Amino acid sequence: LYALYKQGTQDPPFATATTPGAFDLLGKAKINAWERIVDEGVTAEQAQETYAVLVDSLKVKYGFGTR
C-alpha cells in the first residue's frame, strides 16, 4: 500500500528519496517495497489505479462506511 502511494504521488521521486538509516528497519522495509514497484516498471498512473482498487477492496472487506 505504501509503495503504491509513494509511486503514485512521486513525492519525492524514487531516485532522489533519502535512504533510511542503518537502524531504521521500518524505513528500510518501506523503501524496499517502493523500490520493487519501481523495478517492476509501474507508472504513477498505474500505481494510482491499483492503490484505489486496493483501498476500495479493503473498505468492502472490513465494512468501512457501512452501517
Side-chain angles (χ1 to χ4, degrees):
L1 193 61
Y2 174 82
L4 292 170
Y5 171 79
K6 291 299 281 185
Q7 183 65 5
T9 60
Q10 296 283 312
D11 183 31
F14 183 77
T16 61
T18 58
T19 305
F23 296 104
D24 183 4
L25 301 180
L26 179 59
K28 285 183 179 186
K30 287 180 172 183
I31 203 82
N32 288 340
W34 188 12
E35 185 175 27
R36 280 193 301 274
I37 295 290
V38 170
D39 289 345
E40 291 173 6
V42 176
T43 66
E45 294 78 21
Q46 290 170 328
Q48 290 170 4
E49 290 173 14
T50 305
Y51 180 90
V53 169
L54 179 57
V55 168
D56 286 341
S57 71
L58 291 172
K59 286 168 60 175
V60 169
K61 180 177 180 178
Y62 293 104
F64 183 78
T66 61
R67 293 193 185 261

